[in-house]
């Protein structure tokens, strides 16, 4: 489906590669041919123990109801992250939690501050679903879309019901250090709730998460997806970390079996293997830098140096249009993301590409070079 055919009832998330595979999964045999660089799924597989457990017990897993309240997943998150169990609420991925929490906290009279550009789900929920007022802090392309802490603090001081910070930000890959955010929280009005989306924070460093801070804070909520950093996108596992009183109110709204049995098993097992994932994050940084250099080699000069598992770049003005590039790449099995669909401030020539394994990165460069020339 073309973006122009969509309306405000849904939020655009990419996933165009299913045009080649089929939304009915009729061409799963093509998954090795298609490069879905328009979504940010991990380039690496889940930890070996995750795959081993799912494979060994799959018939039982498929037919068995999971623990009703995800008790084991809650306990494991608490233990591995060093936070109280009553400060955690789980859900079927971050989108499930975004809809749950924001729908409960906000109403049409609420005021929300978003970065611009940022992950489009937040504007969609706030504006199209809830109908509240949304202000945007415009980030500058000339400054690499970095967030100016002083400018952000000035905007926050105006008084908002909710401030959403995707950190590292998507689609720019820019990261605000934890120390800067703590200073922001200390100076902000106590009536303002901060929602920190840490989907990509593991790529920024193991010491950059605010989970422990949020668990004892009255007004900071951390949203964690296990999709991108733990290679569990298809299993839909996520959680929130915050003040137990706030979390308790959300738990009451959480339906039973919020996370599937394969999702619970995978989440628990993945969290128990930090060494495996830590190595993958280090590899990702190397692959990202290699991909950036290779993009330059095919004529892409304007690249935003982010810290996550993707890169944002701009097409040179003299080459073909973005729709032509996307069509040419898709015909060769490569699907790229047009981030300006959800963040028009990026302009008409912005492109986001996911970091893949080294072999796939080489294939992407070959396809891009061919399409550009």
């Amino acid at each position: 489906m073309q973006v122009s055919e969509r309306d405000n009832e849904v939020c655009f998330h990419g996933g165009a590669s299913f045009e080649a595979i089929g939304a009915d999964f009729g061409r799963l045999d093509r998954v090795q041919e298609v490069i879905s660089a328009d979504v940010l799924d991990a380039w690496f597989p889940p930890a070996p123990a995750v795959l081993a457990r799912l494979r060994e017990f799959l018939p039982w897993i498929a037919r068995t109801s999971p623990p009703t309240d995800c008790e084991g997943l809650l306990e494991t998150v608490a233990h591995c992250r060093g936070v109280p169990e009553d400060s955690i609420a789980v859900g079927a991925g971050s989108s499930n939690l975004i809809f749950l929490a924001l729908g409960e906290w906000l109403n049409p009279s609420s005021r929300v501050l978003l970065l611009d550009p940022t992950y489009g789900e937040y504007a969609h929920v706030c504006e199209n679903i809830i109908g509240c007022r949304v202000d945007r802090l415009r980030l500058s392309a000339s400054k690499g879309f970095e967030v100016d802490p002083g400018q952000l603090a000035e905007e926050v001081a105006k008084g908002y019901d909710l401030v959403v910070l995707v950190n590292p930000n998507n689609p720019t890959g820019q990261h605000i250090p934890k120390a800067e955010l703590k200073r922001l929280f200390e100076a902000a009005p106590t009536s303002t709730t901060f929602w920190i989306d840490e989907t990509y924070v593991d790529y920024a460093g193991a010491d950059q998460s605010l989970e422990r801070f949020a668990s004892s804070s009255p007004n900071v909520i951390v949203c964690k997806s296990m999709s991108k950093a733990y290679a569990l996108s298809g299993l839909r596992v996520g959680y929130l970390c915050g003040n137990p009183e706030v979390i308790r109110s959300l738990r009451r709204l959480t339906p039973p079996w919020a996370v599937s049995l394969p999702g619970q098993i995978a989440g628990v097992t993945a969290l128990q293997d930090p060494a495996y994932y830590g190595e993958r994050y280090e590899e990702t940084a190397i692959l990202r830098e290699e991909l950036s250099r290779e993009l330059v080699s095919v004529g892409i000069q304007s690249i935003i140096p982010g810290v996550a598992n993707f890169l944002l770049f701009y097409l040179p003005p003299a080459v073909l249009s973005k729709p032509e590039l996307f069509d040419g790449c898709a015909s060769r099995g490569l699907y790229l993301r047009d981030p300006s669909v959800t963040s028009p401030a990026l302009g008409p020539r912005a492109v986001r590409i996911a970091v893949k394994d080294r072999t796939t990165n080489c294939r992407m460069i070959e396809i891009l070079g061919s399409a550009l020339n």
Side-chain angles (χ1 to χ4, degrees):
M1 180 183 293
Q2 296 298 317
V3 173
S4 60
E5 296 174 0
R6 304 176 70 94
D7 55 33
N8 288 342
E9 294 181 359
V10 292
C11 180
F12 178 67
H13 281 296
S17 60
F18 277 102
E19 295 174 3
I21 296 168
D24 61 353
F25 316 112
R27 295 299 310 276
L28 285 175
D29 58 298
R30 298 196 64 190
V31 295
Q32 299 301 323
E33 305 170 18
V34 172
I35 306 175
S36 54
D38 63 325
V39 291
L40 301 178
D41 300 330
W43 60 268
F44 48 85
V50 173
L51 296 178
R53 298 186 82 181
L54 293 179
R55 286 178 181 137
E56 182 178 0
F57 300 104
L58 184 57
W60 176 82
I61 289 170
R63 68 174 185 265
T64 302
S65 297
T68 308
D69 298 315
C70 306
E71 299 92 335
L73 180 58
L74 285 166
E75 181 182 349
T76 304
V77 171
H79 173 73
C80 294
R81 295 305 195 187
V83 296
E85 191 173 325
D86 61 359
S87 70
I88 303 160
V90 298
S94 59
S95 288
N96 171 256
L97 296 165
I98 292 167
F99 273 78
L100 172 71
L102 272 58
E104 174 67 9
W105 297 340
L106 304 175
N107 58 59
S109 65
S110 302
R111 296 182 64 215
V112 178
L113 178 66
L114 303 178
L115 301 178
D116 188 12
T118 198
Y119 181 51
E121 189 87 324
Y122 292 105
H124 169 68
V125 172
C126 292
E127 293 177 323
N128 300 331
I129 305 300
I130 300 169
C132 54
R133 171 179 165 180
V134 174
D135 291 345
R136 290 170 168 80
L137 178 60
R138 182 68 63 89
L139 304 178
S140 171
S142 64
K143 297 179 180 178
F145 298 106
E146 291 185 1
V147 178
D148 182 321
Q151 184 184 17
L152 176 59
E154 287 180 11
E155 191 64 33
V156 168
K158 296 177 182 178
Y160 287 92
D161 297 293
L162 182 71
V163 174
V164 176
L165 298 173
V166 181
N167 192 46
N169 197 12
N170 174 17
T172 67
Q174 299 303 302
H175 176 252
I176 307 171
K178 181 168 67 174
E180 292 283 359
L181 287 177
K182 286 183 176 180
R183 284 192 284 271
L184 175 69
F185 303 150
E186 292 169 357
T190 57
S191 58
T192 297
T193 297
F194 290 88
W195 177 283
I196 312 300
D197 186 325
E198 290 190 345
T199 295
Y200 306 97
V201 77
D202 299 278
Y203 294 107
D207 62 340
Q208 288 301 304
S209 178
L210 285 157
E211 287 167 280
R212 294 184 183 181
F213 179 89
S215 69
S216 59
S217 169
N219 63 336
V220 176
I221 300 291
V222 166
C223 179
K224 297 298 288 276
S225 167
M226 294 191 70
S227 294
K228 309 307 190 292
Y230 287 89
L232 302 180
S233 290
L235 295 177
R236 310 310 305 151
V237 187
Y239 62 91
L240 299 179
C241 189
N243 181 281
E245 183 177 348
V246 175
I247 292 299
R248 192 177 305 116
S249 68
L250 294 178
R251 281 195 185 185
R252 287 198 294 266
L253 299 173
T254 302
W257 312 296
V259 179
S260 69
L261 184 54
Q264 291 188 42
I265 292 172
V268 166
T269 310
L271 285 165
Q272 295 170 343
D273 197 348
Y276 169 81
Y277 287 103
E279 291 174 0
R280 301 294 84 72
Y281 306 146
E282 291 177 3
E283 285 184 67
T284 301
I286 295 170
L287 292 167
R288 184 182 62 242
E289 294 307 311
E290 290 177 355
L291 179 60
S292 180
R293 291 194 295 269
E294 292 301 317
L295 286 170
V296 172
S297 74
V298 294
I300 305 296
Q301 299 295 326
S302 181
I303 304 169
I304 306 301
V307 302
N309 63 333
F310 57 88
L311 286 169
L312 178 70
F313 66 85
Y314 281 85
L315 291 177
V319 303
L320 71 174
S321 69
K322 189 159 59 177
E324 290 173 323
L325 173 69
F326 279 34
D327 288 345
C329 288
S331 69
R332 298 168 172 86
L334 170 60
Y335 292 84
L336 303 170
R337 179 64 179 269
D338 181 358
S340 62
V341 172
T342 51
S343 292
L346 288 166
R349 301 189 72 79
V351 178
R352 194 194 70 191
I353 186 170
V355 174
K356 300 294 184 180
D357 63 88
R358 188 167 284 109
T359 299
T360 306
N361 283 346
C362 289
R363 285 179 58 201
M364 292 196 299
I365 291 299
E366 289 175 5
I367 293 170
L368 272 169
S370 178
L372 289 167
N373 294 314

